[in-house]
Structures are given as structure tokens and as C-alpha cells.
Amino acid sequence: MDAKITARQVYKRYPSVDGGEITALEDFSLDVADGEFVCIVGPSGCGKSTFLRILAGLDTASAGSVTITPGADPRKPLNNVVFQEYAIFPWKTVLDNVAFGLEMRGVGKAEREATAREWIERVGLTKFAGYYPHQISGGMKQRVSIARALANDPEVLLMDEPLGALDAQTRKVLQQEFMRIWEETRKTVVYITHSIDEAVLLGDRVILMTAHPGRTKAVFAVDIPRPRSVESTALPAFSDLTYRIWQELEGEVVRAMGEEGQIKIEE
Amino acid sequence: MTRNTLLIALTLIAWNLLFFIAGWWQPLWWLGLGVGFALFIWLADEAGKTAPLRYQRTYEVGLAVAFPVLLLLAWELIARNEILNPRWFPPPTRIAAALWDLTIHYDTFNKTSMFGRPWLFPQTLAAEGWPAAWSLFTESHVLTTLWRVFAGFIIGVIPGIFVGMIMGMNRTVRTMLDGVMSAIYVLPKIAIFPIMMLVFANPFGEGPKIAVVAISAFFLVAINTMAGVRDIDPVYIQAGRNYGANRLQLFRHVILPGALPVIFAGLRLALGTALIVIVAIEFVRARKGVGFVTFYYWEVLVTEKMYAGLFVVMALGVLLTFSLQWLERRIMPWR
Ligand SMILES: Nc1ncnc2c1ncn2[C@@H]1O[C@H](COP(=O)(O)OP(=O)(O)O)[C@@H](O)[C@H]1O
Ligand SMILES: [Mg+2]
């Protein structure tokens, strides 16, 4: 199998307030195959976002190596991130936000707007192309953020709890939509979530991380047939796997919460 | 109109009639006005609560206009009845007349007028050509003041934004300049006017005046711009970089628009300060300008014209603020 992403013995240490160091990631390794959908779950503060930032090249590892294999077309960007906080620009319209990556790469106005409109349609925001972010809901903002990433057509898509801030219903709808889009594009995805259900529903593989320092605790292959939908959650295989993952995770969460003052409570 | 509102309205009328008939205005004006205003507020409040939804906007606009009118009316009454000395507090009608007088009047000695007599413009241009028509602009106190504010503002604001941007983005420059800037920031800018008079070849010309306005604007805008850049959520910078923006693109698409709201807050402060500074300077060192007119009429004790000058300053402040708000909406449609 072709490794699209290779992370080898990644360490990340941050200086702490008392002059010491916090180890956010320790000996973390991960291979992701081309076209694979990998989900990472773990207790809050275990270094998931840190790892994603390192993958994205927005932060550097203290030790170890991370590579994303370029594709056949060298002009294609290696990765794009769908941020936990959306991070779509309030000063740009939905259209300009979605076209942003293309604009930065020097794609002409007509072409980039055509591509952007296509993606805006695919995430169901056609009517809102001219709106500014403050005029649309949280779920719509995250759709814009996803469309912005997909319109840029990166080799791998990195998603950091993209649906974490949404209410349960909006979340379900977006999971459905995103599954449909992913079936069509079959992009390589690293998807961080704190929901085990979501990880099992979306992923080919679920990586479970330990807290403090962040390491791989367990890896689960998800063999629920695709295409999946919300009905897949009714399968016995689904509940079996989510239960198994929870059993492993529970101890971590309890341990993480016990470490006084170490854990930031996540939003 | 509910019964309650009607009752309060009647009480208000009765109260005023009582004072009028009994002749209490002179000795008890404070009581008459105080209770009168209290009743008016009660009445307006009641009317606002009971007005149908579609009249709410009308109600708000009406009240916003009615209250200042009422204040002027009260002032008029107080001055007319010589409760306050009308020599120092002339009634608004006399101030309005003075303003009209200043508008049409041309000072042949100083060769100035308040607004520059724009009604003479077409015929002057036709009969005597551009130089004469241009002198109609330069004779104007208002245009002179506006020009000083505008020139100083532009000269101060452009480098202010530039320096603020660099301070926001570069830690070394910021650390070097922060202390100096904060120290100069708190200095009342009018205090550097004497230095500016030493610096310029002609201490009584336009140079020192515009320079003080520019310097005041510069520091306010530079400090706000720096704060605006520092306040940008780092996740936007990360998004910009992750989507392939180079340094210039990052500046153009992320840092500049991200800092704009705070920059505009700085511009508003700078514009207000510019007006304060220029009026203060015109008080002491100018032969022209609204500040000069105001202070001149105080010196010769023509108080209604002094008030007319103050009114013009106020109107200029409102005009400048509105212009900036308009610009803000044009430049930042996403707000
Ligand atoms: N910029 C930083 N400086 C110092 N410590 C950080 C920084 N970013 C993250 N950390 C620490 O690293 C750990 C992992 O954080 P993060 O990757 O955000 O966790 P997660 O996304 O899994 O909730 C946390 O303990 C956090 O406090
Ligand atoms: Mg996180």
C-alpha cells in the first residue's frame, strides 16, 4: 500500500510556564495510505491539534519526521486544513473565502470563481455565495470552511474537530453530507474528533491517543461496508466497535482528568 | 393614545399653565422646568410603551428630534426671562441670527467670511476668472479649518498606519518603539505647538498648525494600528499560510483587513483630536479659522457670535464623524 502520509517518531515539547517543558507528543508514528480516511480520537489536550499542525507545516516537530508524498501534479497543494474554529475570513464573502486557496495560487478570477461556485453548490450554499460569514449560521460557516479546503483540491485533507462546535442535529446533517462528498472524491483524510461515534462512522481506521504525553494507545480497523450513512450506526458491528474503543478511552479520560492543573478544559 | 398618556399630557399642560398664570416662572423656574421635564419623560416613556410596533421607529426619531428642540426652548425661555444673564447666555434665536449674520457678512479688514460666500461663486468665476473665485474659498474660516484638519490628518495617518503595521508585525521594532510611543502618546499634543513654531521657517504660517494636527493623528493611529495587528486571531494567519499566501498576500488578505476595525477606531479618535487641536491652536495663533472667530468674539464680548462659532465647530465635528462612518461602511462592508 502507498503511504501518502508518513509520520515517524514525532515529538513535540512546549516550554511550560515554570521554565520546564510539556511533552505534547511522544514517539507518535502514523502511516496513512492514499485515499484512506483516518480518524484520531483522544482526551482533550492529548496533542491531537498539535499533531495536525505539524502535519500541516504550521508548526515544527521537536524531533522525528513528517512527510506528505506529492501527487502526480506538482502544482496541487500538499495539504489543507479545516480548522476547529472554522477560521474563514470574516472580511471575505462566502465566494471569496472558498476561492481563497485558488487565488493565492494565482488561478485567474473567472476560473477560480467557477470552481468555488461549484463547491458552494455541492455544500448547498448557492444562495449564500455573496454573504459575509457573520450573516450565516455556524453550520454554514463550517460548510464554507470545508468547501474552501476541497476547492483547493489538496493531496490530503486535515480536519480538526470540524463539527465539534455544532449542535447535534446540524452535526448529523453535516456528517451525512461530508460522507457523500468524500465517497465522490476519495481524498486522503486525517480527521480529528472527540466523538467515537463520528470516528467509527467516517473512518477506515481509528487511532486512539493517550493523554500526557500524547502517544498511540490503540488502532482499530473499521470494517463497516461503504458507502455508509446514518443507518450504518444501527449495525451490530458499529456498536461493538464503539464500545471497544470507549473501554480503552475511558481509562485515559479519567487519568487525564486526574492530572491536576495539567489539562485545559476544552471549549 | 391610552388614557394614561392622555392624563400625563394634561397634567403637563396644566403644570405649565399654572406657572404661567401664577407668574412663578421668574422665582421658581428650576422647579417648573425640573418637574416639566420629568413629566415629559414620563409622557414619552408611556407613549413609547403603548405605541404600535410599526410606529416605534417614528417614535424614536421623533423623540431624538423633540428633546433637543425642547432643550433649546428651555434655554430660550430662561434667557428671555433674564433668569440667566442673556449677555453671557444669549437665547438660541439670537445665536441663530448671529450665525446668519456671520454667514452673509464679509470682513473687509481681515478679508474673511465664515463659509466663503458660495452664492458669489458662479458670477465671480464668470466675471473675474479662477484666481478671484479661488479667493472665495480661501477667505472662508470653515474651509480653512477643514483644510488644516484634512491636511494634518492625511499627513499623520498614512505614516501612522505604516509604522503601526510594522510595530504590530515585528517584535524588535515594537519593543524598541513601544516605550517612546506610549510616552509621547500621553503628552498633550497642543504642548508641542511651540516646538513646531521653532521648527518652521514661518512660525505664523500653516506649517506648524498642520504639523501639530499631523503629529497628534500619527500617534493615535500608529498605536491603534499596532493593537489591531496584534489582536488578529492567529488562526487566520495560520489559515492564510496553509492556503499558500506569501508574505505580501498574507498582508493584503489577512493582516490588513483583520486590523481594519481597530485602525478605524484609531482614525475616529484621531479625527476628533485633530479638531480639538486645531481649534485650540486657532484660539491662540491664527488670523483665520473657526477657532479664531470663536475666540475673537469672546475677546470683543459679542457672545452670540461666539456661540455661533461654537455651533459651527460642533457641526464640523458631526460632519467629519459622519464622513468617516460613511467611509468605514464603504471600506468594511462585512461589519
Ligand atoms: N502553543 C502552545 N504552547 C504551549 N503549550 C501548548 C501549545 N499548544 C498546545 N500546547 C499544549 O500541548 C498539549 C496538547 O494540546 P492540543 O494539541 O491542543 O490538544 P488537543 O487538540 O488534543 O486537545 C496541551 O497540554 C496544551 O496545553
Ligand atoms: Mg484541539
Side-chain angles (χ1 to χ4, degrees):
Chain A
M1 105 179 160
D2 266 6
K4 194 72 196 168
I5 299 171
T6 325
R8 283 287 130 72
Q9 277 119 46
V10 178
Y11 285 74
K12 180 68 187 180
R13 298 178 199 96
Y14 287 112
S16 70
V17 206
D18 54 22
E21 278 182 338
I22 298 174
T23 306
L25 280 175
E26 188 176 86
D27 194 17
F28 190 80
S29 298
L30 175 70
D31 277 1
V32 181
D34 199 1
E36 194 184 11
F37 197 127
V38 169
C39 291
I40 301 180
V41 286
S44 224
C46 73
K48 306 183 293 289
S49 297
T50 302
F51 177 63
L52 205 79
R53 274 203 304 277
I54 293 171
L55 267 187
L58 293 169
D59 208 340
T60 49
S62 307
S65 69
V66 172
T67 40
I68 298 176
T69 316
D73 183 352
R75 283 168 309 172
K76 259 173 88 168
L78 286 182
N79 76 80
N80 280 127
V81 181
V82 176
F83 292 88
Q84 193 169 358
E85 316 84 344
Y86 317 141
I88 57 173
F89 304 116
W91 47 87
K92 287 181 181 289
T93 59
V94 167
L95 181 66
D96 289 343
N97 262 297
V98 175
F100 181 70
L102 297 167
E103 187 179 0
M104 293 305 102
R105 281 160 52 201
V107 177
K109 192 175 166 74
E111 190 188 336
R112 69 171 184 255
E113 291 199 346
T115 311
R117 279 189 197 284
E118 200 180 300
W119 278 103
I120 289 171
E121 197 187 324
R122 284 175 83 167
V123 297
L125 290 177
T126 312
K127 274 196 292 187
F128 301 95
Y131 281 48
Y132 285 102
H134 81 267
Q135 297 167 312
I136 59 178
S137 69
M140 289 156 112
K141 281 182 198 151
Q142 197 52 289
R143 282 191 176 103
V144 174
S145 181
I146 292 170
R148 173 173 72 177
L150 290 167
N152 209 26
D153 195 19
E155 290 291 329
V156 303
L157 190 59
L158 308 176
M159 306 178 82
D160 191 355
E161 301 194 20
L163 311 181
L166 305 176
D167 62 86
Q169 288 90 337
T170 312
R171 204 182 160 104
K172 273 261 177 315
V173 171
L174 271 164
Q175 281 172 354
Q176 284 274 48
E177 276 182 24
F178 184 60
M179 257 188 291
R180 187 187 39 119
I181 291 171
W182 184 78
E183 298 286 355
E184 291 162 10
T185 58
R186 287 279 172 167
K187 235 175 224 325
T188 311
V189 180
V190 175
Y191 190 107
I192 290 172
T193 173
H194 56 235
S195 154
I196 299 172
D197 285 11
E198 188 168 281
V200 173
L201 179 62
L202 297 175
D204 295 320
R205 228 172 356 135
V206 178
I207 315 289
L208 181 60
M209 280 179 76
T210 60
H212 290 276
R215 305 165 179 251
T216 313
K217 181 171 171 89
V219 178
F220 303 86
V222 184
D223 41 18
I224 296 169
R226 292 191 186 271
R228 299 180 195 154
S229 71
V230 173
E231 276 99 77
S232 315
T233 57
L235 297 173
F238 184 90
S239 37
D240 282 358
L241 188 54
T242 48
Y243 181 66
R244 265 172 54 216
I245 297 176
W246 171 243
Q247 277 181 316
E248 292 274 358
L249 180 61
E250 188 178 17
E252 278 312 305
V253 176
V254 171
R255 194 170 69 82
M257 289 196 318
E259 280 174 33
E260 72 295 24
Q262 289 254 14
I263 303 300
K264 60 164 206 269
I265 302 299
E266 225 169 28
E267 40 287 322
Chain B
M1 199 66 143
T2 59
R3 227 187 48 184
N4 239 348
T5 347
L6 203 67
L7 261 158
I8 303 167
L10 286 176
T11 317
L12 183 59
I13 294 167
W15 176 260
N16 281 289
L17 274 179
L18 173 73
F19 264 63
F20 188 69
I21 293 164
W24 289 345
W25 276 118
Q26 195 72 21
L28 290 173
W29 61 275
W30 48 273
L31 183 68
L33 277 181
V35 174
F37 268 112
L39 281 170
F40 176 78
I41 291 168
W42 192 12
L43 174 66
D45 203 44
E46 205 61 40
K49 268 187 261 175
T50 53
L53 210 54
R54 69 202 149 95
Y55 288 129
Q56 286 296 329
R57 183 85 198 123
T58 323
Y59 164 76
E60 277 172 18
V61 173
L63 199 59
V65 173
F67 191 71
V69 169
L70 226 77
L71 278 182
L72 287 176
L73 209 71
W75 181 358
E76 183 82 26
L77 284 175
I78 290 173
R80 284 262 169 114
N81 290 304
E82 307 208 345
I83 291 158
L84 288 175
N85 187 342
R87 176 141 194 199
W88 311 127
F89 304 98
T93 46
R94 263 175 57 204
I95 296 172
L99 183 62
W100 176 248
D101 203 39
L102 282 174
T103 306
I104 57 170
H105 179 75
Y106 175 65
D107 182 342
T108 41
F109 179 72
N110 284 317
K111 299 199 168 39
T112 54
S113 69
M114 192 54 137
F115 297 100
R117 297 179 296 167
W119 57 92
L120 292 180
F121 187 76
Q123 69 202 62
T124 314
L125 184 62
E128 297 167 62
W130 268 108
W134 180 248
S135 77
L136 282 175
F137 287 117
T138 54
E139 76 176 38
S140 159
H141 291 297
V142 166
L143 291 181
T144 304
T145 300
L146 272 179
W147 154 249
R148 286 169 182 156
V149 168
F150 187 73
F153 189 69
I154 297 293
I155 294 171
V157 150
I158 291 171
I161 292 178
F162 186 75
V163 170
M165 282 283 173
I166 293 172
M167 283 177 75
M169 292 187 290
N170 184 297
R171 190 170 67 121
T172 309
V173 177
R174 178 168 62 249
T175 317
M176 271 162 45
L177 288 183
D178 209 14
V180 183
M181 296 279 276
S182 312
I184 302 177
Y185 178 79
V186 294
L187 184 76
K189 299 309 169 302
I190 188 79
I192 58 176
F193 185 55
I195 307 175
M196 289 301 116
M197 288 176 65
L198 290 173
V199 169
F200 281 84
N202 174 9
F204 307 110
E206 294 298 297
K209 302 184 181 73
I210 292 175
V212 177
V213 174
I215 289 169
S216 324
F218 172 83
F219 285 100
L220 282 167
V221 171
I223 286 186
N224 272 278
T225 303
M226 177 185 77
V229 173
R230 304 272 298 146
D231 272 358
I232 298 172
D233 191 334
V235 81
Y236 292 129
I237 314 267
Q238 289 181 7
R241 281 173 51 201
N242 185 246
Y243 284 83
N246 59 34
R247 287 174 79 96
L248 197 69
Q249 286 171 322
L250 202 62
F251 178 78
R252 154 92 179 67
H253 290 276
V254 182
I255 295 173
L256 186 63
L260 263 186
V262 187
I263 294 179
F264 261 100
L267 291 179
R268 272 197 301 274
L269 281 176
L271 197 58
T273 309
L275 196 62
I276 293 171
V277 163
I278 203 62
V279 168
I281 289 175
E282 286 173 353
F283 272 7
V284 293
R285 257 296 160 268
R287 300 271 82 206
K288 231 195 282 177
V290 186
F292 162 73
V293 183
T294 309
F295 204 72
Y296 171 77
Y297 285 114
W298 143 248
E299 285 180 319
V300 298
L301 290 182
V302 184
T303 44
E304 56 263 42
K305 287 193 176 166
M306 178 192 82
Y307 279 100
L310 284 180
F311 175 81
V312 173
V313 173
M314 211 163 75
L316 282 184
V318 171
L319 178 81
L320 289 174
T321 311
F322 276 144
S323 316
L324 198 64
Q325 274 174 3
W326 175 84
L327 191 71
E328 200 171 330
R329 276 197 299 270
R330 288 296 302 270
I331 293 184
M332 299 193 296
W334 65 86
R335 295 286 286 176

